[in-house]
Amino acid sequence: MTLARLAALHGVATSYAPSADRTIPVPEATVVAVLAALGVDAATPEAVGASLAAAERAAAERLLPPTVVHWHDPDPAPPPPFAALPPGTRVRVETEDGGEADWTAPGAKKADAPWPALPLGVHRATARTPDGRTAAATLVVAPERTPQPPARTHGFLVQLYSLLSARSWGMGDLADLAELAGWAGRAVGAGFLQVNPLHAAVPGTPTDPSPYRPSSRRFPDPVHLRIEDVPEYAYVTERKRLDELLKAADALRRSVLDDGELIDRDAVWALKREALEALHGVPLAPGRRAAYCDYLAHQGQALEDHATWCALAERYGSDWTRWPGALRDPRSAATARARRELIDRVDFHTRLAWLTDTQLAAAQRAARDAGMAVGLVHDLAVGVHPGGADAWAQQRTFAQGMSVGAPPDAFNARGQDWGLPPWRPDVLAASGYAPYRGLLRNLLRHAGALRIDHVMGLFRLWWVPEGQEPTAGTYVRYDAEAMLAVLVLEAHRAGAVVIGEDLGTVEPGVREALSRRGVLGTSVLWFERDWEGTGRPLPPADWRAACVATATTHDLPSTAARLTGEHVGLRHRLGLLTRPLAEEQAEDAAEVGEWLAYLARLGLLPEGARGEEGAVRAVYRFLLRTPARMVGVWLPDAVGDRRPQNLPGTWDQYPNWRLPVAGPDGRPLALEDVVASPRLHGLMRVFGPAPGTPAPGVRTHTAPPGARPT
């Protein structure tokens, strides 16, 4: 019981409930290991007793927690931690804009002193009691809710690397994103465009292609740059090598689009890096130089650390835990010397971050200029690679020897280990959530919305000790109130919508807490059933409004594959089925048949149940019947692609994250083919007439594009 009390004080679970009727104890060794990662000694009974006494004493003596949340209110009461201060305690709040406000905790016989009207922001509060004790805390003043979509809207979901145009260098890039946004907003009335995480990857041979295991979540990956759109490209004097690189890029693109080769991120980056090194030799014009300096000043130490890691990784390899000892510390004298020695490479990598930031800004401008109500929806991965830049620069913030994952469930009896080191909740709180704030602020710079992968991680994460199976993990709790307050504040500042990916096992109360703060959820058609009643498909009117409704995700089969049952055959060929093929096929066919019959009863399947293309349209007609604020169209669905972009449970058995968008026959489609696809336009007619389309009976003097002479 003593260990359980100690664990509870530090947010470490000693049991968990995979279902309402089942509780599983956590191995004691796991609890001890997790506490050790939090700096708490529980290795022996004596150590447990001493640590518990110290924790209880600290809690009793503490005047204020390290971070306090105050939800903005026109007629505010003091936040509970301040209201609980001893009578007569004097509090001074220094606001982030340089202002000050004072407050005195009222005595028991006095009327409550009015709490000062504080601006939104992250402030510093200090308290002094009448007997001379002092305390300091970060005070986060946040609005009640995140911004909301201005109106019901629809948009596309796409993995950017998979969408090559006739000008890409072997994978989709930010210019392709801008083109898709401009077309989607103007031609089919899309209000948003959601992309995969564009975080900086860990370089290597081969590089991990997953966008969900990045080197840094704070800075973007320059592999997404369109080289020809960098202004300095026009002023490179040595053109011969650039021309050779362009030819190589053309061959790389053709190998994917024409020859069926997989997307080769490493080959793309090798060409782009050489071209960018040539561009780096071109002096910046005065206005460009000033803009670059502004970016450096704004990003500060975080960017310098990121670029330093990139430069050191070129010399010593991409896993900082294997570097020479002194270089493993970003604040060591050896690291400072290395930074000076490698200053040109450090500048090269800061320049790349700036260039990528400018092209992200251009893509969001293109979306807004095209009339999109939201624009780009960026994606925040759950964590970072343990050997990458963020883990090096912020290593004191991460729990050493721990990895984030998921406990066993109905879909994965062994649980999951994602190989991502978790943030320490105690260090986050002590820093006023500075790493989290900086991360959000950068991601929201050029976003109309932010999707948070595994949003339940704002509340708790499953920690797996190094060397252990995922089944030997446990949950560690975070201060969800503080995590949400920072998120809501930064979204408010950016004017951005927030979407939480809340699929899978969700702790009771989490969805309600997110909804209360304006965070939209994610609802996928095949999972929406009346689970507590009939078990049948959930009627569209019963869906929640505060969500993005979609038919599939990057981790699930495309709608065409699900309707045809091809996803079952794929998993069978890869040895992923846990039951006989015939049994799996029968269950899948029954589920699909039930949905198709329901769609037909609702009058959403006028084409009949036999046509797979018509059934895809029926699925999206259904989504439009729901009250969902945002409806997402998986772009491969629009052209009939039957291959998943990622197949969970596989590594090299399947080409995860390396497939271009393709048609039903598997033939890759360039961006130009996608936007001209009759199948896509047939699906988009489900969403209503395209902007500029005349009403029935209205004559127009402009011929449609297909009828114009060329």
Side-chain angles (χ1 to χ4, degrees), residues 99-158:
E100 291 183 348
D102 294 307
W103 179 76
T104 301
K109 296 182 179 179
K110 295 180 182 179
D112 286 351
W115 178 255
L118 297 172
L120 298 175
V122 181
H123 314 311
R124 191 66 179 164
T126 55
R128 178 180 290 275
T129 65
D131 61 4
R133 290 178 294 155
T134 60
T138 299
L139 177 59
V140 180
V141 181
E144 290 285 331
R145 290 167 59 83
T146 61
Q148 298 297 293
R152 169 71 175 271
T153 186
H154 67 273
F156 289 107
L157 320 178
V158 64

Side-chain angles (χ1 to χ4, degrees), residues 45-214:
E46 293 76 19
V48 171
S51 294
L52 178 61
E56 290 178 335
R57 184 170 57 253
E61 295 174 353
R62 186 178 63 199
L63 286 172
L64 290 172
T67 298
V68 177
V69 170
H70 179 55
W71 298 103
H72 196 265
D73 191 309
D75 186 22
F82 287 95
L85 288 169
T89 299
R90 299 178 65 85
V91 175
R92 168 156 291 187
V93 179
E94 298 174 6
T95 62
E96 66 177 19
D97 60 4
E100 291 183 348
D102 294 307
W103 179 76
T104 301
K109 296 182 179 179
K110 295 180 182 179
D112 286 351
W115 178 255
L118 297 172
L120 298 175
V122 181
H123 314 311
R124 191 66 179 164
T126 55
R128 178 180 290 275
T129 65
D131 61 4
R133 290 178 294 155
T134 60
T138 299
L139 177 59
V140 180
V141 181
E144 290 285 331
R145 290 167 59 83
T146 61
Q148 298 297 293
R152 169 71 175 271
T153 186
H154 67 273
F156 289 107
L157 320 178
V158 64
Q159 301 282 292
L160 178 58
Y161 60 83
S162 72
L163 191 68
L164 291 73
S165 73
R167 299 177 181 177
S168 312
W169 286 34
M171 62 183 281
D173 61 33
L174 290 171
D176 295 327
L177 182 62
E179 290 293 342
L180 179 62
W183 169 83
R186 291 184 173 90
V188 294
F192 66 93
L193 192 56
Q194 180 179 306
V195 295
N196 55 284
L198 303 181
H199 309 318
V202 177
T205 306
T207 299
D208 185 345
S210 172
Y212 289 93
R213 202 163 181 250

Side-chain angles (χ1 to χ4, degrees), residues 570-578 584 647-650 653:
L570 173 62
R571 288 164 51 224
H572 171 67
R573 292 192 297 274
L574 295 174
L576 299 178
L577 297 184
T578 58
E584 291 274 359
L647 191 59
T650 63
Q653 308 98 310

Side-chain angles (χ1 to χ4, degrees), residues 432-480:
Y433 294 83
Y436 180 48
R437 287 188 277 123
L439 165 62
L440 291 174
R441 199 164 296 179
N442 255 25
L443 279 174
L444 291 166
R445 279 169 61 83
H446 311 302
L450 178 66
R451 174 192 181 270
I452 301 179
D453 194 43
H454 193 69
V455 72
M456 297 80 78
L458 300 180
F459 296 76
R460 64 178 185 176
L461 282 172
W462 184 258
W463 287 22
V464 181
E466 185 176 3
Q468 298 297 315
E469 292 295 319
T471 52
T474 189
Y475 279 113
V476 175
R477 192 161 294 282
Y478 292 76
D479 184 346

Side-chain angles (χ1 to χ4, degrees), residues 284-368:
L284 295 174
R288 294 269 293 163
R289 167 63 61 179
Y292 178 43
C293 290
D294 276 354
Y295 180 76
L296 293 175
H298 179 77
Q299 297 296 334
Q301 184 70 55
L303 177 59
E304 186 174 286
D305 287 343
H306 174 71
T308 299
W309 181 90
C310 292
L312 290 171
E314 291 176 336
R315 178 172 290 187
Y316 298 107
S318 58
D319 184 352
W320 65 269
T321 63
R322 299 184 180 183
W323 292 354
L327 296 180
R328 297 175 195 172
D329 180 358
R331 302 291 168 255
S332 71
T335 299
R337 284 194 301 273
R339 184 184 290 116
R340 289 192 295 270
E341 292 169 5
L342 297 169
I343 190 62
D344 186 63
R345 297 308 296 171
V346 172
D347 182 69
F348 174 68
H349 290 291
T350 56
R351 180 89 67 92
L352 296 191
W354 171 60
L355 292 175
T356 313
D357 183 81
T358 61
Q359 290 197 6
L360 279 168
Q364 174 64 353
R365 281 197 304 273
R368 288 297 179 87

Side-chain angles (χ1 to χ4, degrees), residues 20 24 46 51 147 214 258 267 295 350 394 397 446 483 607 675 680:
I24 297 178
E46 293 76 19
S51 294
D258 299 339
Y295 180 76
T350 56
Q394 302 172 10
T397 309
H446 311 302
M483 298 287 277
E607 299 93 341
V675 301
L680 179 146

